[in-house]
């Protein structure tokens, strides 16, 4: 597994809690576009996504723009996807 970071990554907006470098924590993602992208990323060589916290907790992540997100985030590596019983 390469330690080189990709030049482009998909951005996932986070609403309530930030992530920090080196932090291992689960992210719950509902079925839909973000889950579909996550499956693609998990099959990629780099397995990386960008995580950016939204500026406001009531931001709709499905219609968020770059203006709704903080400019600094983290690169996260997908370790595994564990489907939940409810989807």
């Amino acid at each position: 597994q390469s330690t080189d970071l990709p030049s482009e990554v998909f951005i996932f907006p986070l609403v309530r809690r930030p992530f920090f470098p080196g932090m291992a924590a689960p992210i719950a993602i509902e079925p839909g576009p973000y889950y579909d992208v996550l499956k693609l990323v998990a099959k990629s060589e780099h397995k990386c996504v960008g995580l950016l916290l939204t500026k406001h907790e009531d931001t709709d992540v499905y219609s968020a723009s770059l203006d709704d997100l903080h400019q600094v985030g983290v690169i996260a590596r997908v370790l595994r996807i564990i489907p939940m019983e409810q989807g």
Side-chain angles (χ1 to χ4, degrees), residues 2-19:
S2 174
T3 57
D4 294 334
L5 296 176
S7 60
E8 294 182 353
V9 294
F10 288 100
I11 299 295
F12 280 50
L14 302 174
V15 177
R16 288 187 183 83
R17 65 175 182 173
F19 278 69

Side-chain angles (χ1 to χ4, degrees), residues 12-18 52-61:
F12 280 50
L14 302 174
V15 177
R16 288 187 183 83
R17 65 175 182 173
L52 293 175
L53 191 63
T54 59
K55 293 178 181 175
H56 305 285
E57 285 191 15
D58 60 352
T59 300
D60 177 4
V61 296

Side-chain angles (χ1 to χ4, degrees), residues 4-78:
D4 294 334
L5 296 176
S7 60
E8 294 182 353
V9 294
F10 288 100
I11 299 295
F12 280 50
L14 302 174
V15 177
R16 288 187 183 83
R17 65 175 182 173
F19 278 69
F20 299 97
M23 180 177 173
I27 299 176
I29 298 179
E30 298 175 4
Y34 288 114
Y35 183 67
D36 295 340
V37 168
L38 187 66
K39 291 188 293 186
L40 287 174
V41 170
K43 293 177 184 176
S44 71
E45 184 177 328
H46 58 76
K47 301 182 184 338
C48 291
V49 295
L51 302 178
L52 293 175
L53 191 63
T54 59
K55 293 178 181 175
H56 305 285
E57 285 191 15
D58 60 352
T59 300
D60 177 4
V61 296
Y62 295 102
S63 63
S65 70
L66 287 177
D67 290 336
D68 298 316
L69 305 174
H70 287 283
Q71 292 183 359
V72 176
V74 297
I75 295 288
R77 185 162 279 127
V78 177

